[in-house]
Amino acid sequence: MENLREIFQIMARRFGFLNKNCCSVGGSEISLTQSHILYEIDRQHQPSMQQIAETLGIDITTFSRQVQSLIKMNLVQKTPAPEDKRVQILSLTIEGKYVAKTIDEQMNLFLNEVFSHMNDFEKETVIRSIKLLNDAMSKSSMCCGNMQG
């Protein structure tokens, strides 16, 4: 039996290394967490602070600090929700959209390069397997059941 934990550790390290090295855009260093926040703000329609924090499984205090640093970098803006001023809606600035798009392009280039070492059948098998794994993880009582994405 193969050591499953080792397989996942290696894959996580390789993705971590990629994210550490890919997320420098226009002189701004973007952390892995910040790149996830930008991605989710871009993906969701007028999300609240709480929605993004829950999606990413980050406690609200840590999340607030990350958002503040993204605001200082002029990548994200917060506006009170019209129906409830206590709720803060997050959106990307023009610079934030550019950074999110650039990171997305870099990730797609990397993934396309990785998949170029596989034939179509292998590529489809890997993608289908990752979808199956994500689905099974969402149903697990020990992991990530409430995470979206």
Side-chain angles (χ1 to χ4, degrees):
M1 168 90 180
E2 290 188 68
N3 184 338
L4 289 177
R5 182 169 179 202
E6 184 178 350
I7 293 168
F8 282 100
Q9 288 285 122
I10 291 167
M11 189 171 75
R13 272 198 309 269
R14 288 186 175 145
F15 259 101
F17 181 76
L18 163 74
N19 280 300
K20 216 182 276 177
N21 290 294
C22 91
C23 300
S24 175
V25 181
S28 298
E29 282 297 319
I30 309 293
S31 73
L32 177 57
T33 301
Q34 290 169 334
S35 77
H36 289 313
I37 292 169
L38 293 173
Y39 178 81
E40 288 301 330
I41 292 171
D42 199 32
R43 193 176 74 87
Q44 296 187 33
H45 178 67
Q46 295 187 321
S48 69
M49 295 261 301
Q50 195 68 39
Q51 281 173 297
I52 301 288
E54 284 174 14
T55 297
L56 295 174
I58 303 172
D59 76 89
I60 197 71
T61 309
T62 305
F63 182 76
S64 284
R65 261 184 266 132
Q66 293 289 345
V67 168
Q68 276 311 119
S69 65
L70 290 167
I71 290 170
K72 281 185 187 141
M73 296 163 82
N74 199 29
L75 302 178
V76 170
Q77 55 194 16
K78 272 195 304 193
T79 48
E83 66 280 357
D84 184 349
K85 302 288 183 218
R86 295 167 300 176
V87 175
Q88 295 291 316
I89 300 298
L90 297 174
S91 59
L92 299 181
T93 63
I94 291 167
E95 294 91 336
K97 286 180 181 173
Y98 170 76
V99 168
K101 184 174 177 278
T102 304
I103 291 170
D104 203 41
E105 287 168 357
Q106 291 171 352
M107 289 299 294
N108 286 330
L109 272 173
F110 168 76
L111 292 169
N112 287 336
E113 199 280 329
V114 168
F115 282 122
S116 75
H117 301 282
M118 299 179 195
N119 64 39
D120 285 347
F121 175 76
E122 292 167 332
K123 178 181 171 182
E124 288 166 20
T125 302
V126 168
I127 292 169
R128 193 168 45 255
S129 298
I130 291 170
K131 286 179 179 176
L132 275 170
L133 182 63
N134 279 337
D135 189 45
M137 288 172 83
S138 75
K139 294 172 185 167
S140 169
S141 62
M142 296 176 69
C143 159
C144 11
N146 63 348
M147 291 177 77
Q148 303 164 359

